[in-house]
Amino acid sequence: MKDYVESFLELLYPEKNTCFFCETHDEAICDRYICKDCERTMKKIVPPICIKCSKPIDLNSHEELCSDCRKHDHSFEMSRSVFFYEGTVKKGIYLFKYYNKPYFYRFFGKCLVDFMEDTSYGRFNLVVPVPLHRSKLRKRGYNQSELLARYISNKTDMPYGDVLKRIKKTPKQSQVTKEDRRKNLINAFDVKKSMAGLLTGKNVLLVDDVFTTGSTADECSKTLIKNGASKVYVITIAR
Ligand SMILES: [Zn+2]
Ligand SMILES: [Zn+2]
């Protein structure tokens, strides 16, 4: 499906064979959007990881859960992230969100789809993005999580559903403590009225750019389950 949004985004693309991350020009880049040097610096998360939140755990640990997940339960079934949130990945996500470079969804979307295939993350009844508050959406012009969720849906043939809305404006989450972050997000989401019946019995894939404390994923999952969803699985670019 090549819709209006996608055709519009294509106008913003950098020139062919240009690395999205460092803007180097190299014929070898083709349709991979990244040069070899930048790709080498991206650190993937590999097992052993917490079965719940995918935080790396000690090689010698006999626990299946990380220390965070042993203390606090999550509303989602499990969450997986492809990369560590640092270096090139962090820079790329920053450009994607704050520098009007929506086309990054192509690179990161492919990373998510490849990861889901490689790890057999499963089939889901609905792919749902974490929503932005409408004032933020107006300012940014696009929701990066929506672009990623649409990409996953297109490539995997799993239905897309923009069912959530953000009803509470929250301060920039990176500037607050973990506990304040959790409190700020309580009741921050709701299901769109027109979509209310859509969730019954569904296994949902919730898509976001970054997993930090899990508060956003938890609150969205809680809202989805309260409105009939059966289970929520989370995927993010990085954590
Ligand atoms: Zn590069
Ligand atoms: Zn964990």
Side-chain angles (χ1 to χ4, degrees):
M1 183 186 72
K2 195 166 200 172
D3 56 21
Y4 165 76
V5 179
E6 199 167 333
S7 328
F8 170 72
L9 291 175
E10 263 165 26
L11 299 174
L12 301 166
Y13 274 161
E15 244 177 279
K16 202 169 172 257
N17 290 320
T18 304
C19 173
F20 280 7
F21 295 81
C22 71
E23 296 181 356
T24 298
H25 195 82
D26 184 346
E27 297 299 318
I29 290 171
C30 289
D31 54 0
R32 289 167 43 256
Y33 317 118
I34 190 167
C35 73
K36 282 252 153 34
D37 289 338
C38 287
E39 195 172 20
R40 256 195 295 273
T41 63
M42 300 179 90
K43 254 176 82 188
K44 280 196 171 153
I45 296 175
V46 290
I49 55 169
C50 170
I51 54 162
K52 195 86 186 174
C53 77
S54 97
K55 185 177 182 172
I57 49 177
D58 189 353
L59 202 57
N60 303 313
S61 166
H62 296 294
E63 303 283 350
E64 290 191 306
L65 295 172
C66 70
S67 54
D68 300 344
C69 291
R70 267 180 277 148
K71 266 181 259 157
H72 306 283
D73 197 16
H74 289 293
S75 315
F76 52 82
E77 202 60 21
M78 63 166 72
S79 175
R80 289 292 175 266
S81 307
V82 185
F83 299 107
F84 287 99
Y85 187 50
E86 57 179 43
T88 306
V89 174
K90 193 171 180 176
K91 178 187 158 193
I93 293 174
Y94 200 77
L95 293 170
F96 184 23
K97 286 166 76 167
Y98 302 115
Y99 277 80
N100 196 30
K101 296 182 190 293
Y103 52 80
F104 263 88
Y105 84 93
R106 286 232 169 168
F107 175 78
F108 285 130
K110 186 171 185 318
C111 293
L112 294 174
V113 169
D114 289 348
F115 174 87
M116 286 173 67
E117 275 169 14
D118 293 347
T119 61
S120 308
Y121 199 37
R123 301 286 305 169
F124 304 95
N125 309 118
L126 206 60
V127 184
V128 175
V130 168
L132 284 182
H133 191 268
R134 63 178 188 283
S135 60
K136 232 183 214 172
L137 183 62
R138 213 176 301 134
K139 203 171 144 204
R140 194 173 301 171
Y142 58 93
N143 173 4
Q144 70 284 351
S145 301
E146 178 188 333
L147 298 178
L148 294 170
R150 281 185 187 277
Y151 182 93
I152 294 173
S153 165
N154 282 346
K155 297 290 173 191
T156 61
D157 278 328
M158 297 188 278
Y160 171 80
D162 188 14
V163 300
L164 290 172
K165 60 179 177 180
R166 202 164 191 132
I167 50 175
K168 207 163 116 184
K169 225 174 137 182
T170 47
K172 205 171 172 200
Q173 291 289 62
S174 49
Q175 291 158 356
V176 296
T177 66
K178 192 171 168 176
E179 189 48 29
D180 284 343
R181 190 187 177 91
R182 198 185 59 77
K183 278 193 200 141
N184 285 339
L185 281 163
I186 291 174
N187 298 325
F189 301 95
D190 202 357
V191 165
K192 292 178 181 171
K193 267 209 177 69
S194 58
M195 309 257 185
L198 210 68
L199 286 165
T200 312
K202 299 275 167 71
N203 280 335
V204 173
L205 179 70
L206 180 72
V207 182
D208 203 1
D209 49 356
V210 184
F211 183 103
T212 311
T213 61
S215 298
T216 303
D218 267 329
E219 277 305 313
C220 287
S221 304
K222 224 184 275 173
T223 306
L224 292 165
I225 289 165
K226 202 172 76 192
N227 284 274
S230 169
K231 283 174 180 164
V232 180
Y233 293 77
V234 182
I235 191 152
T236 71
I237 301 166
R239 67 153 294 150

